[in-house]
Amino acid sequence: MTEYNFAYLDEQTKRMIRRAILKGLAIPGYQVPFASREMPMPYGWGTGGVQVSAAVLTPKDTFKVIDQGADDTTNAVSIRTFFQRTAGVATTTATSDATVIQTRHRIPEEPLHEGHILVYQVPIPEPLRFLEPRESETRKMHSLEEYGLMHVKLYEDISRHGHIATSYAYPVKVEGRYVMDPSPIPKFDNPKLGDMAAIQLFGAGREQRIYALPPYTQVVSLDFEDHPFEASKADHPCGMCGATDSYLDELIIDDLGGRMFVCSDTDYCEARQAAGHKGKDAA
Amino acid sequence: MTPLLSVQGITKRYGAHIGCADVSFDLYPGEVMGIVGESGSGKSTLLNCMAGHLTPDAGHVVFDTRTDGPRDTITMSEPERRMLGRTDWAFVHQHARDGLRMGVSAGGNVGERLMAVGDRHYGDIRDKAMDWLGRVEIDASRVDDRPRTFSGGMQQRLQIARNLVTGPRLVFMDEPTGGLDVSVQARLLDLLRGLVRDMGLSAIIVTHDLAVVRLLADRLMVMKSGRVVESGLTDQVLDDPQHAYSQLLVSSVLQV
């Protein structure tokens, strides 16, 4: 533990990141530029989330990392080990025990509480990026609240697919002001973004942006009056724990078209199985 | 009668070089003004200054807004100017791809301005888009096709539909028929003339094609080296040009 400064980053860097986080919390949904550091992992693996986590972790925290809901995938394991070694904080896979949760692409099924911090890894923080390639122009659009273009994307979805086919990274409007990319979480998780008790922080390392949602922020998913937003999931119960209210992954289990649906949140699924719930595919 | 647009002493310099100098005129509601001149005479600079794309070094552009009456658009705040740019004003670019979103379907292109001013009903937006595609003679079955699959003339008509859908009162056009073959040009001009008459639009058309202004414009300004050398009623200027440059311009047109 003497080899590294607490949580890897030097104190000045953490200070800089905390200032960006505070500004982000003060202006919910606004993308705050920050001087992203080179981290010992490739861009796209969560360099933004790791820097935000490093800046908010304290020695007393209990840290959890999820990747697509799972605690045991490469990204989750490597980041958890990284902070075990560089910060010496306690780690857990149980959502209820954690105080800081870094996540890629999911919000845990279990409700989070005040005092929790949820850190998202964000690949592309700019919701307007694929509609308007000029960053100078998108910044102007944010500052002048010109968000008609965002609906053009939804319009295109409906005209091509008959419904709003965007199923992840579904754009939201924060407190009636900023349009925000909630990172590539499934739109099933969008309703959880709003009015959440925990602090939500978003870090984009390559793009050098931090944004945030303070607790109990109003977050509205964009839609049309005649095509309202719908949080969708696979229409099945979980094969392992039988849950009907959780977001499911579809697994191909043989080459004969066999498939099963299981909770993407592994901790939630395991806790339910331990409590005696059983799905139809459980061994 | 209050002029819809009153341009007073617009000057734009690019360093020592003059873009346009001391241009003044009034445009009344329902009137179409043509600006002609050779390449580099400052026509486009003037148009961009009036439309708020460039900031002039001197002068005023006073527009008669719906709510607050005459306002100087150069000193008004940027959000207000951009709001004008997507409600009461329209800008038709010479190259359709500058004015269209090439990756978005025709319907989305037409609907963008509606959504930008707060329309949030998909069915209504689509109906209006279809209606406008019809008005510019694009088949309704092409509504979900992207503009890159359209011909040049169709792209230009789509750009016009996209601009007129919010019912603007003033249209800026920069060489609307440039780069189109003559038969397509003729159809486009016919269409434009119809739209301008039906909607009671005011328009400022920059072109170097005298046939375009002959057909569309009520009044004409001839520019040379950044200055207006002659102005008046279109027929008057074209049939009896006074300034040496206007005479040259008129006599340069090939008679077939």
Side-chain angles (χ1 to χ4, degrees):
Chain A
M1 260 316 291
T2 47
E3 306 93 300
Y4 289 107
N5 190 36
F6 177 74
Y8 188 77
L9 293 174
D10 62 278
E11 295 304 317
Q12 284 304 315
T13 299
K14 285 196 265 184
R15 180 178 140 119
M16 173 271 293
I17 294 172
R18 285 174 194 148
R19 288 171 72 136
I21 292 172
L22 287 174
K23 181 167 180 183
L25 285 166
I27 317 171
Y30 171 71
Q31 300 167 43
V32 186
F34 80 110
S36 179
R37 295 291 190 254
E38 205 62 35
M39 297 303 282
M41 58 180 69
Y43 287 129
W45 284 53
T47 52
V50 163
Q51 289 179 74
V52 171
S53 293
V56 298
L57 273 178
T58 66
K60 281 189 230 151
D61 274 317
T62 307
F63 190 58
K64 169 184 161 89
V65 188
I66 50 176
D67 170 7
Q68 305 266 17
D71 290 279
D72 51 5
T73 53
T74 315
N75 198 232
V77 170
S78 66
I79 292 173
R80 191 163 59 232
T81 315
F82 175 76
F83 280 113
Q84 257 170 354
R85 285 175 49 188
T86 60
V89 292
T91 58
T92 181
T93 59
T95 303
S96 51
D97 296 342
T99 54
V100 177
I101 302 173
Q102 183 172 329
T103 177
R104 171 174 175 264
H105 298 192
R106 272 316 305 280
I107 296 175
E109 301 291 351
E110 197 176 313
L112 303 178
H113 304 292
E114 286 182 20
H116 270 146
I117 297 177
L118 188 57
V119 178
Y120 296 78
Q121 301 170 195
V122 182
I124 294 162
E126 179 51 71
L128 302 162
R129 173 66 50 84
F130 294 108
L131 300 156
E132 174 54 65
R134 286 167 298 176
E135 179 82 15
S136 56
E137 185 65 17
T138 56
R139 276 193 222 180
K140 192 163 273 177
M141 289 159 81
H142 279 294
S143 62
L144 301 180
E145 230 180 313
E146 287 179 6
Y147 290 130
L149 198 51
M150 205 70 247
H151 273 85
V152 173
K153 176 183 155 58
L154 303 179
Y155 171 93
E156 288 291 285
D157 262 13
I158 303 175
S159 70
R160 207 166 303 155
H161 305 286
H163 60 102
I164 298 179
T166 302
S167 57
Y168 65 96
Y170 192 102
V172 294
K173 195 162 206 184
V174 179
E175 286 288 333
R177 178 60 181 84
Y178 283 99
V179 164
M180 184 187 96
D181 181 339
S183 87
I185 60 171
K187 67 176 169 184
F188 174 79
D189 281 342
N190 267 25
K192 299 183 204 164
L193 287 164
D195 212 28
M196 187 191 273
I199 294 175
Q200 301 173 78
L201 305 175
F202 299 77
R206 181 187 49 209
E207 305 287 328
Q208 313 196 320
R209 293 287 182 279
I210 285 173
Y211 49 105
L213 296 174
Y216 307 111
T217 303
Q218 183 208 55
V219 178
V220 179
S221 303
L222 300 179
D223 58 5
F224 284 103
E225 288 159 15
D226 47 346
H227 287 266
F229 171 79
E230 208 178 326
S232 59
K233 69 184 267 287
D235 190 17
H236 291 271
C238 169
M240 300 300 286
C241 75
T244 53
D245 57 349
S246 68
Y247 190 73
L248 302 173
D249 286 338
E250 181 180 5
L251 305 181
I252 306 294
I253 49 177
D254 54 32
D255 57 1
L256 302 168
R259 58 179 63 176
M260 69 184 283
F261 291 89
V262 292
C263 295
S264 89
D265 187 335
T266 52
D267 171 58
Y268 181 74
C269 198
E270 280 160 17
R272 275 178 57 88
Q273 289 177 60
H277 296 281
K278 252 195 169 24
K280 66 177 175 63
D281 300 317
Chain B
M1 195 173 183
T2 327
L4 183 68
L5 189 79
S6 174
V7 177
Q8 298 152 10
I10 289 289
T11 302
K12 174 75 184 171
R13 287 192 191 80
Y14 300 109
H17 179 76
I18 292 173
C20 61
D22 201 25
V23 179
S24 304
F25 68 92
D26 286 343
L27 182 77
Y28 289 88
E31 198 176 27
V32 178
M33 168 74 105
I35 303 174
V36 295
E38 60 192 357
S39 300
S41 60
K43 313 183 294 281
S44 295
T45 299
L46 175 62
L47 193 74
N48 283 319
C49 283
M50 292 189 288
H53 299 171
L54 285 175
T55 312
D57 298 319
H60 303 282
V61 177
V62 179
F63 180 73
D64 186 16
T65 58
R66 277 183 220 230
T67 45
D68 305 329
R71 297 273 313 272
D72 188 347
T73 61
I74 288 162
T75 52
M76 75 169 36
S77 71
E78 190 175 10
E80 287 180 292
R81 193 162 53 236
R82 284 173 68 115
M83 190 67 191
L84 266 187
R86 56 176 190 268
T87 53
D88 266 358
W89 289 359
F91 197 100
V92 177
H93 293 263
Q94 174 175 8
H95 301 290
R97 20 190 86 230
D98 294 341
L100 291 172
R101 293 195 187 274
M102 299 306 282
V104 169
S105 71
N109 265 297
V110 178
E112 181 178 343
R113 273 169 79 112
L114 293 171
M115 293 182 247
V117 295
D119 229 335
R120 291 290 178 267
H121 191 285
Y122 175 81
D124 291 352
I125 294 168
R126 198 169 170 81
D127 289 346
K128 278 188 206 160
M130 295 282 224
D131 176 40
W132 267 98
L133 289 185
R135 287 207 224 178
V136 297
E137 298 164 18
I138 295 175
D139 197 82
S141 64
R142 303 297 302 269
V143 65
D144 292 331
D145 291 349
R146 300 194 177 187
R148 62 174 100 255
T149 66
F150 287 10
S151 69
M154 279 170 81
Q155 288 182 0
Q156 197 58 284
R157 278 179 277 143
L158 179 62
Q159 193 195 178
I160 288 163
R162 168 187 159 92
N163 271 289
L164 298 188
V165 67
T166 47
R169 293 188 296 154
L170 176 59
V171 187
F172 299 100
M173 292 190 222
D174 191 1
E175 308 266 11
T177 57
L180 302 175
D181 75 64
V182 276
S183 62
V184 176
Q185 269 191 30
R187 258 179 82 196
L188 188 75
L189 285 174
D190 212 32
L191 176 79
L192 276 175
R193 193 158 56 163
L195 289 172
V196 165
R197 292 284 175 272
D198 293 348
M199 298 176 72
L201 290 175
S202 303
I204 298 176
I205 299 175
V206 159
T207 183
H208 52 233
D209 187 344
L210 293 182
V212 171
V213 287
R214 174 78 90 174
L215 274 171
L216 285 176
D218 303 313
R219 281 198 299 150
L220 193 59
M221 288 199 315
V222 182
M223 288 186 73
K224 170 139 176 61
S225 311
R227 290 173 197 281
V228 176
V229 293
E230 186 166 351
S231 63
L233 296 175
T234 303
D235 292 345
Q236 190 185 337
V237 174
L238 290 183
D239 295 341
D240 182 22
Q242 300 295 309
H243 190 271
Y245 176 70
S246 314
Q247 292 169 353
L248 176 69
L249 200 66
V250 171
S251 62
S252 302
V253 177
L254 276 179
Q255 302 295 329
V256 187

